[in-house]
Amino acid sequence: MASSNFIDYVKINCRSGAGGAGSVHFRREKHTPKGGPDGGDGGRGGHIILRGNSQLWTLLHLKYRKHIKAGNGVAGEGGRRSGAQGEDIILDVPLGTIARNPETSEKIVEITEEGQEIILFPGGRGGMGNDHFKTPTQQAPDYAQPGEPGQEEWVVLELKLLADVGLVGFPNAGKSTLLSVLSAARPEIADYPFTTLVPNLGVVAYRDYKSFVMADIPGIIEGASQGKGLGLRFLRHIERNSILLFLIPATSENIRQEYNTLLNELREFNPELMDKTRMLAITKIDLVDEETRVKLESDLPKKLPVVYISAVSQRGLDELKDVIWHNLTSIEPV
């Protein structure tokens, strides 16, 4: 998908429908001179509903729909006939979408499952007709309730990609190359920094028809949590990954320092990321000899699963998938 088509943030104005007014009506038939009140209720106003759709992965379809309006309820009629409900508006969104108040950034709702429906803004209640207000002492009420107004608010929809494994690394660490080799995804690959401008998702096939989802996140640089580079905009996508796979090239001058820099940026952005399962893959291992590889091992972070891989020569990829799958299946569900 083209870079310009990846939209993970939209601000829209939503207006739910107003409820219909109740009816003031009296039964009038030839042989029923005192039929009494029979005004029906007004219909409910239309809801604004968010629905999870696993076939979507961006908010592009909502980028140019700035105003979302649900239908108003219809007024009630005589004969105790209720008015029709206003038309609901259902907004399909990708899994991982959060609706927030644009002024306070407070989370309103969150969509994480296929087919999940949550009413974002409910429609106004329809008014009751005068039939509801008759009593032994008030047998001919000439009033009914008006319908309640709908709600009109601006709301921010923010997408955080749902993936099993998130690739974390500096620009040109080989994240896009690895994703293209392990899955059918075809991210743009080049030898200059920030080739990847938007996250890419790929489904990685594993043994016995099993699979997991891998996300290629744009490169992080030192200071990303303060807004430098592209990292700040896309760091939030890492929050939804079950495993963080750090990719550092074997040609790096100081692997431990690069790892600590990446870890610090994640910590500065969201300390809760430190609770996620972490793995380390040393990439481009085909560019160093065995002697250099032995020296690298002394510089690696301790107590961290490490795999040596080369996406170009496809070296170590089966081992990498084994380690990922083992960690995925050992993660306790929330």
Side-chain angles (χ1 to χ4, degrees), residues 26 58 66 71-72 77 85 109 123 168 176 201 275 279 298 318:
F26 295 90
T58 83
K66 290 300 181 184
N72 293 329
E77 299 179 4
Q85 294 183 354
V109 298
V168 181
S176 297
L201 285 178
D275 298 331
M279 297 173 48
S298 62
D318 287 338

Side-chain angles (χ1 to χ4, degrees), residues 200-267:
N200 291 285
L201 285 178
V203 178
V204 180
Y206 189 60
R207 297 188 178 96
D208 301 325
Y209 303 102
K210 301 183 180 72
S211 64
F212 54 87
V213 179
M214 182 174 284
D216 169 24
I217 310 297
I220 299 173
I221 66 172
E222 188 171 3
S225 57
Q226 279 76 47
K228 295 182 180 179
L230 300 176
L232 179 65
R233 178 181 173 191
F234 298 113
L235 275 174
R236 66 173 174 267
H237 294 293
I238 299 176
E239 294 178 320
R240 290 296 182 79
N241 302 154
S242 301
I243 292 177
L244 302 182
L245 176 59
F246 290 78
L247 269 61
I248 300 178
T251 54
S252 171
E253 295 182 1
N254 191 325
I255 292 179
R256 183 187 293 271
Q257 182 178 336
E258 285 199 15
Y259 172 75
N260 288 335
T261 300
L262 291 168
L263 203 60
N264 183 63
E265 292 305 321
L266 298 185
R267 184 185 295 110

Side-chain angles (χ1 to χ4, degrees), residues 153-214:
E153 299 283 348
W154 283 92
V155 65
V156 166
L157 298 182
E158 178 184 279
L159 171 63
K160 296 181 182 180
L161 292 178
L162 293 171
D164 298 307
V165 183
L167 303 182
V168 181
F170 287 103
N172 280 54
K175 302 185 296 299
S176 297
T177 303
L178 177 63
L179 183 67
S180 68
V181 171
L182 291 180
S183 72
R186 290 295 174 262
E188 183 179 354
I189 300 172
D191 59 356
Y192 56 85
F194 297 117
T195 309
T196 303
L197 298 177
V198 300
N200 291 285
L201 285 178
V203 178
V204 180
Y206 189 60
R207 297 188 178 96
D208 301 325
Y209 303 102
K210 301 183 180 72
S211 64
F212 54 87
V213 179
M214 182 174 284

Side-chain angles (χ1 to χ4, degrees), residues 17-30:
S23 171
V24 177
H25 189 272
F26 295 90
R27 182 181 177 190
R28 292 291 183 264
E29 294 181 11
K30 185 174 182 180

Side-chain angles (χ1 to χ4, degrees), residues 42-325:
R44 167 185 63 78
H47 298 322
I48 303 291
I49 300 173
L50 292 184
R51 180 172 63 189
N53 187 335
S54 60
Q55 301 302 311
L56 299 174
W57 79 291
T58 83
L59 297 170
L60 176 66
H61 60 295
L62 297 176
K63 181 179 180 180
Y64 302 107
R65 292 185 65 185
K66 290 300 181 184
H67 295 274
I68 311 295
K69 299 179 182 179
N72 293 329
V74 178
E77 299 179 4
R80 300 188 182 90
R81 287 174 293 183
S82 297
Q85 294 183 354
E87 181 183 4
D88 295 334
I89 297 296
I90 298 179
L91 302 177
D92 284 318
V93 295
L95 306 188
T97 299
I98 295 176
R100 295 187 185 275
N101 183 305
E103 297 181 359
T104 64
S105 295
E106 179 184 0
K107 182 172 72 173
I108 304 173
V109 298
E110 182 176 3
I111 300 293
T112 57
E113 299 177 3
E114 166 71 17
Q116 178 185 6
E117 291 189 2
I118 296 180
I119 298 175
L120 183 60
F121 296 110
R125 184 177 62 88
M128 293 191 295
N130 67 340
D131 177 63
H132 288 276
F133 301 105
K134 61 186 179 184
T135 67
T137 57
Q138 178 78 336
Q139 298 182 0
D142 58 355
Y143 55 88
Q145 287 182 334
E148 292 182 353
Q151 300 180 30
E152 183 171 5
E153 299 283 348
W154 283 92
V155 65
V156 166
L157 298 182
E158 178 184 279
L159 171 63
K160 296 181 182 180
L161 292 178
L162 293 171
D164 298 307
V165 183
L167 303 182
V168 181
F170 287 103
N172 280 54
K175 302 185 296 299
S176 297
T177 303
L178 177 63
L179 183 67
S180 68
V181 171
L182 291 180
S183 72
R186 290 295 174 262
E188 183 179 354
I189 300 172
D191 59 356
Y192 56 85
F194 297 117
T195 309
T196 303
L197 298 177
V198 300
N200 291 285
L201 285 178
V203 178
V204 180
Y206 189 60
R207 297 188 178 96
D208 301 325
Y209 303 102
K210 301 183 180 72
S211 64
F212 54 87
V213 179
M214 182 174 284
D216 169 24
I217 310 297
I220 299 173
I221 66 172
E222 188 171 3
S225 57
Q226 279 76 47
K228 295 182 180 179
L230 300 176
L232 179 65
R233 178 181 173 191
F234 298 113
L235 275 174
R236 66 173 174 267
H237 294 293
I238 299 176
E239 294 178 320
R240 290 296 182 79
N241 302 154
S242 301
I243 292 177
L244 302 182
L245 176 59
F246 290 78
L247 269 61
I248 300 178
T251 54
S252 171
E253 295 182 1
N254 191 325
I255 292 179
R256 183 187 293 271
Q257 182 178 336
E258 285 199 15
Y259 172 75
N260 288 335
T261 300
L262 291 168
L263 203 60
N264 183 63
E265 292 305 321
L266 298 185
R267 184 185 295 110
E268 290 291 324
F269 176 73
N270 184 352
E272 293 182 2
L273 291 175
M274 297 299 98
D275 298 331
K276 291 188 176 293
T277 301
R278 300 193 294 270
M279 297 173 48
L280 176 61
I282 306 301
T283 65
K284 305 181 182 180
I285 198 66
D286 56 311
L287 299 181
V288 298
D289 54 29
E290 191 63 28
E291 182 180 352
T292 304
R293 172 180 167 173
V294 174
K295 292 181 180 179
L296 290 177
E297 293 180 354
S298 62
D299 190 37
L300 297 179
K302 305 301 181 184
K303 299 181 180 179
L304 192 69
V306 179
V307 181
Y308 298 89
I309 65 171
S310 169
V312 175
S313 63
Q314 301 195 13
R315 178 177 166 186
L317 299 187
D318 287 338
E319 180 186 355
L320 176 64
K321 289 194 285 187
D322 287 340
V323 175
I324 290 174
W325 188 259

